[in-house]
Amino acid sequence: MSLLALGINHNSAPLEIREKVAFSEARLQEALSDARAHTKIKELVVLSTCNRTELFAAYDDDNDADSEALGQWLASFHGIDWLALSPVCYHYQNSEAVRHLIRVGAGLDSMVLGEPQILGQMKTAYAAAHGFGSVGAKLSQLFEGGFSIVKRVRTETAIGANPVSVAFAAVSLSKRIFSRLDKSNALLIGAGETIELVARHLKENGIANMTIANRTLTRSQLLAEEVGAKSVPLDAIAAELVNADIVITSTAAPIAILGKGTVESALKKRKHKPIFMVDIAVPRDIEPEVAELSDVYLYTVDDLKEIVEENKRGRQNEAYNAEKIVDQGVQAFSRKQLEYHAVDTVKALRQQADMLRQQELERALKQLAKGDEPADILASLARSLSNKLIHAPSANLKRASAAGRTEVIPLVDELFDLGEYKSIDSEKQ
């Protein structure tokens, strides 16, 4: 069975395309079932974040046509043209798919180099697919093995030191716009992991007041209590905008929740005091037309790339060390996968040896019961067992040699480690 990783990310595709193929949590089980029903894949994990949508799959055969079929399914599921999606898609097979998964989990493929959130998102995606029954032995080996190597990267390098994320980049940009956050009011929309990070970063930077709006009020209340903020429902956003200097949003809503009209109305009540907005969501939470308003400074995830580049330059040395660990991990994983090919034969070999051992042991016990000399019985047992163990390979080796299949001989030498004994035999001659 072969492995395949197919997807798009912030490097391969613009936001306008990424948001079209994002998977909502509500449709994830449907997607996993639909993909297995309409392609030849046996196992599937879907990873969907603001910067990437990726499919990790296991197939029976190693075939490039499988990646084409999976890509066509991805486009069809989201109702878009595969011809438009295919130029921005990438796909990796087998060891390169392993390498890609590890690099993604270690933050080496992230917009913010070394960011730690992606590993948690991968673990969540893997657990969800496992719960839906779309993970078997192959993807289990891939993800569990990959997570183990990512842990090495995180513990043996400083790639994740001084955590920097898209959330951190958004707050850093806020500090550039407002020299003193202790005089600014922030409105955060959403209550997921990204908004949690934003809230903590803002608190650490002394934000004056913070309000968190979310569809599920219970969740936003918990976060609000933690960071000393106010919690409101989504339908209160319009009212809260009037006092918001900073708006950072990251929800899983399928359509924009903040339109031009709502923002324009808030600006009038603010007497056109500027609002700084960062839309981290994919699909976008804020209508692009909002950027047309003269008193609004609207940024998307793609606009954070300058800050991200600064972060990358500071972590390149650690990234180099991390890549070496990734190389070692991929090689070790590939060796382990190759070892699986021999598992059935090794089991059969052990079963055969155990059967012969049991036969000789029973014969020896009967001789002992009859009162035969123990030393003679042990000698006979050892001689008979070794003869039976080497009988079949010896006979088959002679037949192969007689048939001209001499290439088998060095393989047997290697298999049974006979080099030393052959040299001893040569010296005697």
Side-chain angles (χ1 to χ4, degrees), residues 129-335:
H130 203 287
F132 293 145
S134 67
V135 172
K138 194 70 173 180
L139 287 190
S140 180
Q141 292 163 9
L142 172 64
F143 277 84
E144 296 294 345
F147 292 153
S148 175
I149 300 165
V150 170
K151 184 178 180 181
R152 275 194 62 199
V153 172
R154 293 289 181 184
T155 55
E156 296 178 24
T157 74
I159 192 71
N162 302 316
V164 180
S165 62
V166 171
F168 186 89
V171 175
S172 297
L173 192 54
S174 301
K175 290 166 65 177
R176 293 183 185 183
I177 303 295
F178 301 94
S179 58
R180 293 187 59 179
L181 292 185
D182 61 345
K183 293 185 178 297
S184 302
N185 299 322
L187 171 62
L188 309 185
I189 304 175
E193 186 175 356
T194 300
I195 289 297
E196 286 183 23
L197 289 170
V198 169
R200 292 191 183 105
H201 289 317
L202 284 172
K203 182 183 179 182
E204 290 167 3
N205 283 276
I207 191 76
N209 294 292
M210 188 162 34
T211 300
I212 302 172
N214 190 51
R215 191 177 308 279
T216 306
L217 197 56
T218 305
R219 188 166 181 176
S220 60
Q221 285 173 337
L222 290 173
L223 177 58
E225 289 174 8
E226 180 184 340
V227 297
K230 180 175 72 172
S231 174
V232 299
L234 279 184
D235 57 15
I237 289 176
E240 294 296 332
L241 272 177
V242 177
N243 298 314
D245 304 304
I246 300 168
V247 177
I248 302 177
T249 177
S250 178
T251 77
I255 60 174
I257 60 174
L258 200 53
K260 183 178 180 182
T262 302
V263 179
E264 194 168 23
S265 177
L267 285 170
K268 289 178 182 178
K269 294 177 183 178
R270 288 171 59 85
K271 297 181 180 179
H272 294 278
K273 183 182 178 182
I275 303 177
F276 167 67
M277 294 183 164
V278 181
D279 186 354
I280 307 176
V282 178
R284 283 175 281 193
D285 282 335
I286 303 174
E287 290 181 352
E289 291 77 14
V290 170
E292 298 170 3
L293 299 173
S294 58
D295 297 308
V296 171
Y297 301 90
L298 175 61
Y299 293 80
T300 67
V301 284
D302 287 355
D303 295 320
L304 300 178
K305 283 188 176 179
E306 184 180 343
I307 296 174
V308 168
E309 288 303 318
E310 291 179 10
N311 170 259
K312 283 184 178 180
R313 286 190 288 272
R315 294 188 175 188
Q316 287 305 321
N317 289 337
E318 291 306 315
Y320 175 75
N321 295 330
E323 293 285 6
K324 290 196 291 187
I325 295 175
V326 172
D327 288 340
Q328 295 167 5
V330 172
Q331 291 170 9
F333 184 89
S334 297
R335 283 196 301 271

Side-chain angles (χ1 to χ4, degrees), residues 369-395:
K370 287 165 51 179
D372 293 352
E373 180 63 37
D376 293 339
I377 295 172
L378 286 174
S380 176
L381 171 66
R383 183 172 56 254
S384 180
L385 185 58
S386 58
N387 284 338
K388 286 189 175 182
L389 286 172
I390 67 170
H391 172 71
S394 298

